Amino acid sequence: MEPSLNMSGRHTGVWVVCAAYNEAATIARVVSDLERGGYQVVVVDDGSTDGTRHVASAAGAVVITHPINLGQGAALQTGIEYALSRAPEVIVTFDADGQHRVSDIPRLIEALGRERADFALGSRFLGHTHNLPALRRAVLRAATLFTRVTTGLRLTDTHNGLRAMTRRGAATLRLRQNRMAHASEILAEIAKSGLRYVEVPVTIDYTAYSLAKGQRIGDSVMIVLDLFSQELCR
């Protein structure tokens, strides 16, 4: 899949969605890097109190603002719905804390076409991680095992925010888990859709900032327990 380029070198068929909550320290660099890559960017400011929306707008992104903090799942759903309204070929989700690499996006998009898939899911365990703490690695591995059991998807990394999806794939997503459990919910929606998916090696650069912004280990355990309880109630 090769989304078209316009005369200014922009990928007219690709929209990148960034969910952001109090990311004023990093969002300008993230948006600028995506803009330099030729991508159209929508930032969903999820009730930030630090001027995130102003910084993102000044950097060149379209900004949609939630008046209150609803959580990353809700912000991604808002961003995906906006991107779908622009008739894209591909929608990419990209974290606002600076841990993803813009250079991985073309590989995700290429995999959609090569594998005739509707979802290309980034995997840090097929690719590389820098400065990933051992305990967090263990929790991520446990979450991956849990998601394999509950969804049947054969994945190596189930909580990676870097993904690409076709318009058809994006239209199947209905995120109701407004907090961090949305990552598992996205995979459940993919499994339910029956559409083809593929994993793609990517690199995650952990920094002190991104680790501090990420969920605490206790939060991760509660997410797993919450998802498990939902499975029992189905």
Side-chain angles (χ1 to χ4, degrees):
M1 178 175 291
E2 293 290 343
S4 56
L5 292 172
N6 64 17
M7 293 297 290
S8 62
R10 295 184 66 80
H11 298 278
T12 56
V14 181
W15 275 88
V16 179
V17 176
C18 296
Y21 176 62
N22 289 341
E23 300 284 10
T26 57
I27 195 64
R29 178 173 65 83
V30 169
V31 171
S32 295
D33 286 350
L34 289 165
E35 287 278 323
R36 281 195 295 272
Y39 301 106
Q40 301 172 102
V41 186
V42 55
V43 171
V44 181
D45 171 37
D46 190 32
S48 299
T49 59
D50 68 346
T52 291
R53 64 184 180 275
H54 302 300
V55 176
S57 179
V62 173
V63 178
I64 302 172
T65 301
H66 287 171
I68 61 173
N69 178 242
L70 297 176
Q72 193 171 11
L76 285 176
Q77 185 67 46
T78 295
I80 289 169
E81 288 174 1
Y82 175 84
L84 283 170
S85 76
R86 315 310 292 176
E89 297 173 57
V90 176
I91 295 174
V92 176
T93 64
F94 197 92
D95 284 358
D97 60 8
Q99 68 178 1
H100 293 156
R101 294 187 177 185
V102 175
S103 58
D104 281 329
I105 294 177
R107 295 164 59 192
L108 292 167
I109 296 173
E110 193 274 333
L112 291 175
R114 184 184 67 247
E115 302 294 334
R116 297 184 178 180
D118 284 289
F119 299 95
L121 308 174
S123 172
R124 77 200 89 192
F125 298 121
L126 292 178
H128 304 282
T129 61
H130 297 290
N131 304 316
L132 174 60
L135 183 55
R136 184 164 300 219
R137 181 184 295 272
V139 170
L140 289 169
R141 293 288 195 188
T144 296
L145 177 60
F146 176 84
T147 303
R148 281 188 177 187
V149 171
T150 57
T151 67
L153 300 181
R154 304 297 296 174
L155 298 172
T156 63
D157 189 352
T158 58
H159 278 69
N160 194 322
L162 182 53
R163 328 170 178 83
M165 60 197 85
T166 64
R167 180 168 48 190
R168 178 174 69 168
T172 68
L173 300 182
R174 295 292 183 273
L175 304 183
R176 297 176 177 84
Q177 293 288 334
N178 285 349
R179 301 295 167 181
M180 293 302 293
H182 77 277
S184 295
E185 187 181 28
I186 286 175
L187 297 178
E189 292 283 290
I190 291 172
K192 185 170 67 174
S193 75
L195 297 176
R196 185 171 175 79
Y197 66 91
V198 61
E199 278 195 297
V200 178
V202 299
T203 297
I204 303 296
D205 295 303
Y206 288 95
T207 63
Y209 176 84
S210 67
L211 288 170
K213 288 287 293 187
Q215 66 208 56
R216 296 182 296 272
I217 297 301
D219 294 334
S220 303
V221 173
M222 290 306 297
I223 287 170
V224 171
L225 291 175
D226 180 53
L227 291 169
F228 183 67
S229 66
Q230 290 179 43
E231 288 296 320
L232 291 177
C233 292
R234 287 183 179 180

